Amino acid sequence: MTSLATRLSGPADTTIFERMSGLAREFGAINLGQGFPELPEPPELIAAAQAALAEHSNQYPPMRGLPRLRGAVADYYARTQGLELTADNVVITSGGTEALAASLFALVAPGDEVVLVQPLYDAYLPLVQWAGGVAKVISLTPPEWTLPIDALAAAIGPKTRGIVLNTPNNPVGTMLTRVELEAVGALAEAHDLWVLCDEVWEAMVFDGTPHISPLAIPSLAARAIKVGSAGKIFSMTGWKVGWAVAAPELAAKIAGRHQFLTFTTPPALQWAAAEGLALPDAWFDAQRALYGGLKARLVLGLEGAGFAVLPGSATWFITIDLAASGLSATDAVLAERLVREAGVASIPVSAFYAQAPETGYLRLCFTKNETVLDEAVARLAKFRAQRD
Ligand code: GLN
């Protein structure tokens, strides 16, 4: 009989985000690590949630989500991405991470191989493994972080059942193109694969690059699952309202897993998210302009201080190329030093690798007010100058 301690093996470490936030608190550092805004929160959404708490039932909402929110999600994607959806395509979950979990638990059977693409968000690998799957990991090619279709094709074998994608990409902010997604679609059709796509950053694109979901690619429409997040769209990461969107039969399977993970999601936040998604385009444009301005400010400040910032279209993050910035340490070492010695927390991009990490890139979150960003730049500039 194995001991309890042995049976409790598996990933118990805290995430890199928790760890860096902890270090930021310990050293009183500016926290540009974990991705969350420290900015005024949208008053329309707060008011909608307050009203919903008082006016609507606070008992279990329908398991698959309030019909009003499921319809609002479908309408929002019709308006913003030209997708043809109805409420039958949508399952509301407690955050994007739960949508990923419910989807993988619905799709992966023990022994199935699943292709993951690194840098990868930290939840993908343990979720595939907890579902009994075997991950086959390929890597985007820096510094453009393009998807190597040949490597993807080579990773697909007789046991492969699916691919997990992420566009826009956390951590590096790049986006998959239609051409890349069509190539994925051809492989998925040829090998009868599902494609799970984490699209939680879809509303945070700052350079006009169109966000393309696998659901918009004809060869993928029936085999793709799109994961979205109200927390990201409305800049309130603690709300944990997300969704999975897929063909109705797939959506029903995902709902079957959701019902034994969280079962439902707080109804007041669902009502508020539904109201938020129906806000006029001008609201979303203003939100994007605000965040885009903060991104530009951090990038300009860092470049002025001699840091090389990689181009990226989207997310709340920018990426520093350390070698091109004249810094020779690895990202993991530098992130530790920066939080202790410079007073700025960041995330090493190597933490997003399951194997053979790229070690020369640092992720910084720019969703902070201008004073905080300017102070962070001053601290990083001083640190870099001392090393010249
Ligand atoms: N999505 C956030 C990020 O990338 C982290 C969320 C978390 O801490 N688990 O920074």
Side-chain angles (χ1 to χ4, degrees):
M1 181 75 174
T2 54
S3 70
L4 177 61
T6 312
R7 282 180 278 134
L8 284 178
S9 71
D13 293 344
T14 51
T15 71
I16 186 72
F17 311 111
E18 285 276 326
R19 184 175 143 64
M20 292 311 293
S21 286
L23 285 174
R25 280 191 293 275
E26 187 180 337
F27 291 94
I30 295 174
N31 191 355
L32 305 190
Q34 190 175 37
F36 63 95
E38 288 175 277
L39 294 164
E41 292 167 349
E44 301 86 343
L45 275 286
I46 305 286
Q50 282 173 332
L53 273 173
E55 289 164 17
H56 292 290
S57 164
N58 287 286
Q59 307 310 322
Y60 299 127
M63 182 274 284
R64 278 186 73 158
L66 291 177
R68 169 84 180 273
L69 177 56
R70 292 166 61 208
V73 169
D75 292 348
Y76 173 77
Y77 287 136
R79 177 157 64 113
T80 57
Q81 296 175 27
L83 299 177
E84 282 177 35
L85 303 167
T86 70
D88 287 345
N89 297 100
V90 181
V91 182
I92 304 301
T93 58
S94 292
T97 303
E98 201 226 338
L100 292 168
S103 301
L104 288 167
F105 293 163
L107 293 164
V108 178
D112 285 358
E113 289 182 6
V114 177
V115 181
L116 302 181
V117 184
Q118 54 183 16
L120 46 78
Y121 187 59
D122 62 355
Y124 305 159
L125 181 61
L127 290 174
V128 166
Q129 290 171 338
W130 293 343
V134 177
K136 296 282 158 182
V137 182
I138 64 166
S139 302
L140 298 178
T141 314
E144 285 89 17
W145 311 101
T146 41
L147 180 67
I149 297 298
D150 291 350
L152 176 59
I156 297 170
K159 292 188 185 163
T160 308
R161 296 291 174 266
I163 304 170
V164 180
L165 296 177
N166 172 212
T167 185
N169 180 277
N170 181 8
V172 292
T174 53
M175 296 166 76
L176 293 173
T177 63
R178 183 175 294 277
V179 171
E180 286 171 322
L181 287 170
E182 281 170 352
V184 171
L187 288 170
E189 262 192 328
H191 298 276
D192 195 19
L193 310 177
W194 47 260
V195 172
L196 173 60
C197 194
D198 175 353
E199 301 174 40
V200 299
W201 302 102
E202 61 202 342
M204 286 290 119
V205 182
F206 303 109
D207 65 356
T209 303
H211 171 75
I212 303 173
S213 169
L215 284 183
I217 305 296
S219 54
L220 288 171
R223 53 181 73 248
I225 304 99
K226 169 188 184 66
V227 169
S229 160
K232 299 296 192 294
I233 293 173
F234 300 114
S235 305
M236 291 189 288
T237 56
W239 273 27
K240 301 301 292 180
V241 177
W243 45 79
V245 182
E249 320 75 67
L250 261 176
K253 277 195 79 176
I254 294 165
R257 298 304 185 266
H258 160 70
Q259 73 180 334
F260 295 132
L261 285 167
T262 60
F263 179 48
T264 57
T265 298
L269 301 182
Q270 292 197 52
W271 286 109
E275 271 191 45
L277 290 173
L279 284 166
D281 291 347
W283 189 91
F284 295 94
D285 293 345
Q287 187 82 348
R288 222 177 348 259
L290 172 72
Y291 280 66
L294 296 170
K295 176 181 180 180
R297 192 177 186 100
L298 181 61
V299 170
L300 265 177
L302 289 170
E303 288 179 344
F307 288 95
V309 181
L310 291 185
S313 301
T315 73
W316 291 340
F317 313 112
I318 59 104
T319 311
I320 293 178
D321 181 334
L322 297 178
S325 304
L327 295 162
S328 54
T330 64
D331 58 357
V333 167
L334 209 66
E336 289 283 333
R337 289 200 56 194
L338 285 177
V339 70
R340 289 163 203 270
E341 297 170 29
V344 178
S346 59
I347 302 285
V349 169
S350 58
F352 292 76
Y353 280 75
Q355 48 195 240
E358 299 290 337
T359 57
Y361 303 95
L362 218 52
R363 189 192 87 169
L364 295 178
C365 175
F366 58 76
T367 59
K368 315 290 161 179
N369 72 44
E370 295 178 345
T371 314
V372 170
L373 292 179
D374 292 350
E375 174 60 21
V377 167
R379 293 182 186 189
L380 293 169
K382 190 167 157 216
F383 179 88
R384 186 172 174 280
Q386 282 165 355
R387 293 169 58 93
D388 278 347

